[in-house]
Amino acid sequence: DAGVTQSPTHLIKTRGQQVTLRCSPISGHKSVSWYQQVLGQGPQFIFQYYEKEERGRGNFPDRFSARQFPNYSSELNVNALLLGDSALYLCASSWDRGNQPQHFGDGTRLSIL
Amino acid sequence: GIQVEQSPPDLILQEGANSTLRCNFSDSVNNLQWFHQNPWGQLINLFYIPSGTKQNGRLSATTVATERYSLLYISSSQTTDSGVYFCAVADLSSGSARQLTFGSGTQLTVLP
């Protein structure tokens, strides 16, 4: 079975632009979470979606938004990009119920010039 | 929110040596995972271990939930074990096992 897939793998943007990152969960997984990993740090939780509803949000500004589609794939949008948004963006999926492990994709590396 | 501390921050070993990585957390958890992040940035699941002991080949992990710590053991280390090891937890108060808080990681370098 395919793992969590993310696209694109790399992206270069300039300050002020907007970006959309995409994630397809493992087949059968209904929960998708997004994380931001700045160089030299551990990943930080941004959003969790389950059944197309936001179930959790980390300490990120309103420039960050996300949604989940009926097929459980998800998009992360970031508006008005800042230099500090340069990071590896990771998507994770898990089964919908109970305490289950998170499975991560390979991430999208976003560079802001 | 929950605090996660990992030690040591850096570890350099000769190939074949054994090591123990530690993760302390400040509150009760309903999810604890160990990950290995390779030099290409891939985050690889090692263990899902909110309590108890598990083994997978040369790796094993133990979580003592009542004392709020977890240990990752690497035996007979190989150069391919190099990378950053992260502990991540989800605290009971968040109501979700899917909102992970990561530690700052242990950078492991295994020399040939």
Side-chain angles (χ1 to χ4, degrees):
Chain A
D1 284 342
V4 178
T5 57
Q6 293 187 240
S7 63
T9 54
H10 294 85
L11 203 51
I12 299 174
K13 292 285 187 178
T14 57
R15 282 177 295 175
Q17 285 188 311
Q18 175 264 342
V19 68
T20 298
L21 311 181
R22 295 175 176 83
C23 171
S24 292
I26 292 172
S27 177
H29 287 188
K30 298 181 179 179
S31 175
V32 170
S33 299
W34 287 94
Y35 293 80
Q36 180 197 63
Q37 186 178 20
V38 173
L39 193 63
Q41 299 180 17
Q44 270 197 291
F45 171 75
I46 309 176
F47 286 112
Q48 186 224 336
Y49 274 77
Y50 169 66
E51 288 286 12
K52 303 183 289 296
E53 290 187 5
E54 181 183 305
R55 297 301 180 97
R57 183 184 185 114
N59 188 22
F60 280 81
D62 292 343
R63 300 185 295 108
F64 288 76
S65 63
R67 54 179 176 169
Q68 186 177 33
F69 299 98
N71 66 354
Y72 304 109
S73 67
S74 178
E75 287 182 350
L76 175 70
N77 296 285
V78 187
N79 294 323
L81 288 166
L82 303 174
L83 293 178
D85 295 330
S86 294
L88 178 67
Y89 288 85
L90 295 161
C91 174
S93 74
S94 67
W95 293 104
D96 55 342
R97 291 298 184 196
N99 299 330
Q100 297 292 334
Q102 298 281 297
H103 299 267
F104 282 80
D106 290 347
T108 294
R109 199 167 294 277
L110 175 63
S111 298
I112 311 301
L113 304 180
Chain B
I2 193 167
Q3 304 297 313
V4 182
E5 293 184 0
Q6 291 187 243
S7 59
D10 296 281
L11 189 57
I12 300 176
L13 301 172
Q14 287 294 137
E15 201 167 24
N18 302 329
S19 61
T20 301
L21 282 57
R22 186 177 179 101
C23 171
N24 293 331
F25 42 95
S26 60
D27 212 336
S28 300
V29 299
N30 58 12
N31 184 353
L32 189 147
Q33 291 182 249
W34 283 98
F35 297 93
H36 174 214
Q37 190 164 44
N38 64 24
W40 296 271
Q42 294 173 316
L43 205 57
I44 300 162
N45 273 315
L46 297 178
F47 293 102
Y48 167 71
I49 187 165
S51 64
T53 297
K54 291 185 178 180
Q55 181 156 7
N56 184 4
R58 296 181 296 103
L59 303 181
S60 63
T62 295
T63 297
V64 183
T66 53
E67 298 187 21
R68 299 181 182 170
Y69 73 89
S70 183
L71 301 174
L72 177 69
Y73 305 97
I74 305 174
S75 64
S76 304
S77 57
Q78 301 175 357
T79 56
T80 52
D81 294 332
S82 296
V84 183
Y85 289 79
F86 287 106
C87 168
V89 304
D91 66 83
L92 283 171
S93 64
S94 75
S96 171
R98 299 160 195 82
Q99 299 176 20
L100 294 175
T101 299
F102 282 74
S104 53
T106 292
Q107 173 75 58
L108 175 64
T109 303
V110 181
L111 303 175

